[in-house]
Amino acid sequence: MSRQSNRTTDSKKMNSELFTLTYGALVTQLCKDYENDEEVNKQLDKMGYNIGVRLIEDFLARSSIGRCQDFRETADVIAKVAFKMYLGTTPSVTNWSPAGDEFSLILESNPLVDFVELPDNHNTLIYSNLLCGALRGSLEMVQMAVDVKFVQDTLRGDNVTEIRMKFIKRIEENLPAGDE
Amino acid sequence: MDTRFTRGKSSILERPLTRPKTKVSVSAFALLFSEMVQYCQSRVYSVSELQTRLADMGHSVGASMLDVLVLREKNGKRETKVLNMLLFIKVNVWKSLFGKEADKLEQANDDDKTYYIIEKEPLINAYISVPKENSSLNCAAFTAGIVEAILTHSGFPAKVTAHWHKGTTLMIKFNDSVIARDKALDGR
């Protein structure tokens, strides 16, 4: 197909405003449709997961990055390549657990929350929860089960935005039954 | 009163309104938009309901864009003439949303209140293939919602709908009052 031809390693970029506002419209709609913030958080995570599952393919195709040796390398690739490629920002990787299975991404800027304020009646809403789902979904597709959650968020008055990622296990490839 | 107005200056009010320099990838947007369409689809029964839902979301985008664009690009001056307003959308709004001007702006031959904004390959539809059984669905209904909100909030109430014609055509139908006012302004 002709679409294949304009697929280069450098993905096409666009102004972040449309992206930011579109995301805002989506979250607003979810808040109208669901009774409480927990449900909205869950829905955002689910959508993020669906995005992640598809995004990883795009990512591998464009970045031509091979298999990571360890979780530290994974963390660096997520922060320096993936975030930069898709959201135009590079979070820093810090707060490693001694065992090396847990780290934090500190986001200095988060294009999802430009010009966003949380109203008082939504104080349990995790506005950018889509990111957690996307990280979880994409890593699952490369056989890594991870736990991802926001621990700090500037929207709720914290000084920084921090996403905590914890490695759970390698997912063994299960061949479908009867398929040798 | 809502506490956000009383609890002192929020840092968000101190932010400059200049165009943000960050760029995001079109793939990220395409995937987000796709989730949005799927979500809307799961809650409606017909194509027209789906388009209405998309348009509603577009409304909130358009409403937020309008003020910042008028300040940024027009020094706070609002358009009062239909044609200038349409050009503002074709040029300024399109550039800031999609990084380019809209392909064409046309007026209907037989109707002075109908205009068309024609886009051969809109960004919104770039990665969407419409299933055969829903061939009338055009997800640019979202863009139509954006345009409708911008026109309505600028004092040019109109209905905007998206159609498959020469690519994607947004059909703008102004209220009679808008055209009458425009003619009155011309007469002076």
Side-chain angles (χ1 to χ4, degrees):
Chain A
M1 288 280 289
S2 58
R3 262 181 211 154
Q4 206 66 33
S5 61
N6 51 28
R7 179 166 283 224
T8 53
T9 44
D10 203 23
S11 57
K12 273 201 223 157
K13 295 286 194 286
M14 62 185 270
N15 184 347
S16 67
E17 264 171 334
L18 178 61
F19 182 76
T20 307
L21 291 172
T22 304
Y23 185 68
L26 175 66
V27 178
T28 314
Q29 187 62 47
L30 291 177
C31 287
K32 280 184 203 152
D33 290 347
Y34 288 97
E35 304 256 316
N36 56 50
D37 291 352
E38 278 73 37
E39 288 296 318
V40 177
N41 295 342
K42 236 187 259 168
Q43 185 64 35
L44 283 173
D45 182 77
K46 197 173 118 196
M47 290 177 159
Y49 177 83
N50 295 341
I51 290 177
V53 166
R54 296 174 67 189
L55 190 79
I56 186 73
E57 221 168 309
D58 184 83
F59 175 73
L60 293 175
R62 289 184 203 281
S63 65
S64 61
I65 280 179
R67 193 169 283 277
C68 293
Q69 294 304 312
D70 54 16
F71 202 43
R72 280 178 189 269
E73 195 184 337
T74 309
D76 275 345
V77 170
I78 290 173
K80 296 195 182 117
V81 189
F83 265 84
K84 182 144 188 37
M85 186 188 288
Y86 292 109
L87 296 176
T89 171
T90 310
S92 48
V93 180
T94 53
N95 295 345
W96 278 97
S97 65
D101 63 345
E102 221 180 306
F103 67 91
S104 293
L105 292 168
I106 308 276
L107 279 87
E108 244 123 75
S109 72
N110 175 1
L112 291 182
V113 303
D114 270 342
F115 298 110
V116 174
E117 262 186 326
L118 286 188
D120 290 335
N121 56 343
H122 284 291
N123 47 21
T124 50
L125 177 70
I126 311 172
Y127 187 86
S128 315
N129 212 25
L130 189 98
L131 289 182
C132 295
L135 286 163
R136 191 165 58 82
S138 48
L139 287 179
E140 194 175 301
M141 290 298 115
V142 285
Q143 281 86 46
M144 260 187 258
V146 287
D147 182 52
V148 191
K149 57 175 188 284
F150 274 90
V151 285
Q152 292 193 80
D153 192 343
T154 43
L155 276 189
R156 306 198 210 189
D158 297 318
N159 286 326
V160 290
T161 298
E162 177 181 356
I163 301 176
R164 192 79 181 150
M165 295 189 59
K166 184 178 169 39
F167 179 81
I168 303 173
K169 61 167 187 181
R170 286 202 71 79
I171 302 167
E172 297 300 330
E173 277 225 64
N174 285 329
L175 289 172
D179 201 19
E180 290 297 315
Chain B
M1 202 202 296
D2 204 335
T3 53
R4 68 194 167 119
F5 297 120
T6 52
R7 72 179 164 216
K9 263 187 200 161
S10 136
S11 62
I12 209 165
L13 301 177
E14 307 287 329
R15 298 260 318 266
L17 283 171
T18 46
R19 188 187 288 269
K21 284 190 198 69
T22 42
K23 296 259 175 200
V24 300
S25 114
V26 172
S27 325
F29 177 77
L31 286 166
L32 174 68
F33 191 65
S34 138
E35 280 304 312
M36 239 168 90
V37 175
Q38 287 176 54
Y39 170 75
C40 291
Q41 200 167 19
S42 71
R43 301 177 75 96
V44 297
Y45 297 102
S46 69
V47 169
S48 71
E49 274 180 281
L50 173 57
Q51 298 197 122
T52 310
R53 251 178 178 259
L54 287 171
D56 282 347
M57 290 196 185
H59 264 262
S60 86
V61 174
S64 328
M65 257 342 254
L66 175 63
D67 281 335
V68 73
L69 278 182
V70 168
L71 276 170
R72 208 186 272 160
E73 317 248 333
K74 296 268 162 191
N75 273 328
K77 261 197 185 154
R78 303 259 181 169
E79 300 297 348
T80 53
K81 301 282 294 177
V82 167
L83 196 58
N84 291 344
M85 188 62 213
L86 288 167
L87 284 172
F88 171 70
I89 290 179
K90 176 183 191 268
V91 180
N92 304 76
V93 173
W94 239 252
K95 269 193 176 159
S96 67
L97 288 178
F98 308 117
K100 64 183 271 295
E101 278 184 33
D103 291 338
K104 268 187 203 145
L105 171 65
E106 287 176 4
Q107 181 174 14
N109 288 330
D110 48 353
D111 185 6
D112 59 358
K113 52 180 190 180
T114 306
Y115 289 82
Y116 306 106
I117 291 178
I118 301 168
E119 185 81 347
K120 223 170 140 229
E121 289 173 345
L123 177 75
I124 295 256
N125 281 339
Y127 301 101
I128 295 179
S129 37
V130 179
K132 274 209 183 71
E133 64 271 23
N134 288 339
S135 58
S136 65
L137 170 67
N138 191 327
C139 293
F142 181 70
T143 325
I146 298 179
V147 173
E148 188 172 296
I150 290 182
L151 285 172
T152 306
H153 294 306
S154 308
F156 295 84
K159 279 266 154 274
V160 184
T161 46
H163 306 272
W164 291 110
H165 178 66
K166 299 184 188 165
T168 290
T169 297
L170 301 182
M171 182 166 77
I172 303 170
K173 265 192 188 305
F174 285 106
N175 277 13
D176 294 339
S177 63
V178 173
I179 300 302
R181 182 186 63 199
D182 212 51
K183 288 201 171 129
L185 279 174
D186 271 338
R188 276 205 307 217

